[in-house]
Structure formats: structure tokens, C-alpha cells
Amino acid sequence: MIPILYLVLPTLGIYIMLSIFFLRRPHLLHTAWAPTFPICLAAHRGGSGERLENTMEAIKNSMAQRADILELDCQLTRDGVVVVSHDKNLSRQSGLNKDVDSLDFKELPLYKEELEIYFSPGHFAHGSDRHMIRLEDVFQKFPRMPTIVEIKEKNEELIHKVANLARSFDRSEITIWASEKNSIMKKCKAANPEMPTAFTILRSIWILLLYYLGLLPFVSIPEKFFFCFLPTIINRTYFPFPCGWMNQLSAVVTKWIIMRKSLIQHLRDRGVQAEDGVRSLEAGITDSFELSCGY
């Protein structure tokens, strides 16, 4: 047993030292990707904390406040129009209990006069513009505005139409694929490989595991963006424990696990836009949306 320890302990010590060394100096192993644009202010759902989500009014308001990037979710209507909508079912947004893909674009209802702000329960956004919009309209009005397009379902027609819109407006490099699922992201990358990608949930967990095992400096990272909401502001949804203190404790622990400065710095040094202090036009607070940059 003791001779084995003589071999294992020095080897483990060397591994730990090499891991820490390359974690702090990733340029010695990897060529960093130069960010196309900086991100310090993100407009979640187009800026849903101050106007009705995903409306042109919300996006214009975000632009007036110098947002660096838009975050939009897309759905496909029955007649094949890519619309900006977070939910597939329109009940929460409009009161109409129908799915987007069951209606033509011209049949889509107006948004409600007020919508609850996702990260501020009990607070509501208002606006004079209640119309749902096409992704094409956003690209046409703001052709050089970086935009995160999240795909929630494995809808190949939707994916290919978003990919083609990015190509036709010559904005593939500033339109980012985002999805929670690996299977959807795989199809997105195949549809338009020129569009940079964000981490999926499983890929984020994998990166965290590699980080804590000390293996992260030695593996490749194809993603260019790391987006993560602060657990301390989403605990009502993601930590459904019956006791409030359990929710708070879970949120704090999860935040501690995810938001490690050495991890964020390593990702940034490797060209992944990731940061722990970016503002979002969701709730008007500086820690509401974990995103990228620092430039």
C-alpha cells in the first residue's frame, strides 16, 4: 500500500500543478477566438422588464438604452412565418389557449395589456405596442444588432428558416444559436455552422464537471458564448422546495458552484464570452443576467 502511495501522490501533485498552470495560461494550449463584439447589457426577451416582451417597442427601448445584444425566442406559425415568441402556447401572453403553430401570422392575437416580469414576481410590464413580430422584421430594422436566437423545440423547418434568415441578412456571425437541449443544438449547427453557439444545459454541466476535475484546460471548447441566469433570482422556478429557506440555500450553493471567477476568466481567455456581472433589461438590476464580456 505504501509503495503505491509513493507513486500516486507525486503523480496527483504534478497533475494538480499542471491543471492550475494551464487553467491560468490557456493560450499555451489553445488559440483564443477573438470576440466579434462586446456584451455588457443584454435585452432578455427584447427588454421585457420595461415594455411588453418581444415587441418592437421593447426592442427599440432596449436600443435607446444601448443594449449590446438581444435575446429572443422563436416559434413557427401555421403558414411558416418565424415569429418572436417565448411560449408556444399563447395563453400566458394573450389569454388565447392556442399554440402559435395552429394559427397563421395574421391570426395571431395581441399581447395582454400587462405581462408579469419573469424575474420580478408581482411586477408587471406595460406598453402601447401589443403586436407579435416576425424575426425578419427585427433583422430588417436592426441589421447589425447582435441577437441570441433560442430554439426550444426540435422543429427542423423553424431551424432552417432562422438559419436562412441569418444568411440572407448577412448576419450569421452576429446571430447566436441558443438552446437548452443538445439534440436541438446539433441540428442548429448543421443548418448554419457560421452562426456561433452558446452552451446547452448539459454542456454547461459538463464544463463545470471538467473544471472541478481539473480537466478543463486540456479539452476543446467549440462554444463561443456562456449564458447563465443567476440562481439567486430564479429560485422560485428552479428550486421548488416547500420551505423558502431551502430555496434560498439551494440558490446560494448553486451560484457558488457556477460563478467561479477562475472559471469565468479561463473561458474568457479562451475566447468564450462569459462573465459574472452583466446587466439585463429584464428587471433593471445589475445581476439579473449572467452573460459575457468585460471588454
Side-chain angles (χ1 to χ4, degrees), residues 3-288:
I4 295 178
L5 290 178
Y6 282 140
L7 177 63
V8 172
L9 291 179
T11 303
L12 182 60
I14 292 172
Y15 168 71
I16 292 173
M17 287 190 293
L18 286 175
S19 178
I20 294 174
F21 178 82
F22 287 114
L23 183 72
R24 297 175 178 176
R25 301 168 182 83
H27 63 279
L28 297 176
L29 295 178
H30 307 277
T31 301
W33 174 78
T36 306
F37 50 86
I39 305 173
C40 293
L41 179 60
H44 183 237
R45 300 187 193 178
S48 58
E50 300 179 3
R51 300 292 188 274
L52 293 178
E53 65 183 55
N54 293 323
T55 60
M56 195 61 71
E57 182 183 26
I59 294 174
K60 289 179 179 179
N61 179 64
S62 299
M63 296 289 290
Q65 298 193 47
R66 300 183 180 180
D68 300 302
I69 194 168
L70 303 174
E71 188 275 339
L72 306 173
D73 307 275
C74 289
Q75 309 286 342
L76 195 66
T77 62
R78 184 173 57 192
D79 54 344
V81 177
V82 180
V83 294
V84 180
S85 175
H86 181 271
D87 301 351
K88 180 179 180 179
N89 185 275
L90 296 165
S91 180
R92 177 189 66 86
Q93 300 170 158
S94 70
L96 179 65
N97 188 22
K98 287 190 175 183
D99 291 346
V100 173
D101 60 7
S102 69
L103 301 171
D104 291 342
F105 177 70
K106 291 184 178 179
E107 297 174 332
L108 293 175
L110 297 175
Y111 282 117
K112 294 178 180 178
E113 293 184 356
E114 62 177 20
L115 291 174
E116 185 181 29
I117 300 172
Y118 185 68
F119 294 123
S120 298
H123 296 82
F124 295 84
H126 304 80
S128 58
D129 182 4
R130 298 168 56 196
H131 295 87
M132 298 184 70
I133 57 176
R134 304 180 302 170
L135 182 63
E136 182 177 357
D137 296 330
V138 178
F139 286 174
Q140 192 167 28
K141 288 184 178 294
F142 311 104
R144 303 313 301 166
M145 182 64 176
T147 305
I148 306 159
V149 178
E150 182 172 356
I151 307 297
K152 296 184 177 296
E153 294 189 344
K154 196 183 294 185
N155 185 327
E156 295 200 27
E157 183 182 1
L158 170 62
I159 291 170
H160 282 281
K161 288 200 171 188
V162 170
N164 290 333
L165 280 171
R167 288 194 187 97
S168 63
F169 283 91
D170 192 25
R171 50 170 296 130
S172 291
E173 76 284 357
I174 60 170
T175 307
I176 298 99
W177 286 122
S179 181
E180 293 183 349
K181 300 179 180 179
N182 285 355
S183 58
I184 297 177
M185 184 59 75
K186 183 178 180 180
K187 292 184 178 295
C188 290
K189 290 192 290 186
N192 189 339
E194 296 177 0
M195 291 170 58
T197 60
F199 285 91
T200 62
I201 291 178
L202 285 179
R203 282 287 296 165
S204 298
I205 294 173
W206 178 243
I207 287 296
L208 285 171
L209 180 62
L210 291 175
Y211 168 75
Y212 283 105
L213 290 176
L215 294 170
L216 185 57
F218 309 109
V219 300
S220 61
I221 302 177
E223 293 88 353
K224 305 303 179 187
F225 294 86
F226 180 69
F227 306 127
C228 180
F229 291 101
L230 268 178
T232 47
I233 64 170
I234 61 173
N235 54 29
R236 72 161 187 172
T237 301
Y238 287 79
F239 303 101
F241 296 114
C243 299
W245 69 267
M246 292 179 66
N247 282 328
Q248 293 295 331
L249 179 61
S250 300
V252 170
V253 171
T254 304
K255 177 184 176 181
W256 184 88
I257 292 172
I258 297 174
M259 296 302 157
R260 310 307 301 166
K261 289 189 178 297
S262 57
L263 169 63
I264 299 300
Q265 188 60 51
H266 178 81
L267 292 175
R268 287 178 56 192
D269 289 344
R270 292 182 62 173
V272 178
Q273 289 186 261
E275 183 60 51
D276 61 349
V278 179
R279 295 192 302 144
S280 168
L281 290 173
E282 164 69 48
I285 53 178
T286 58
D287 61 352
S288 63

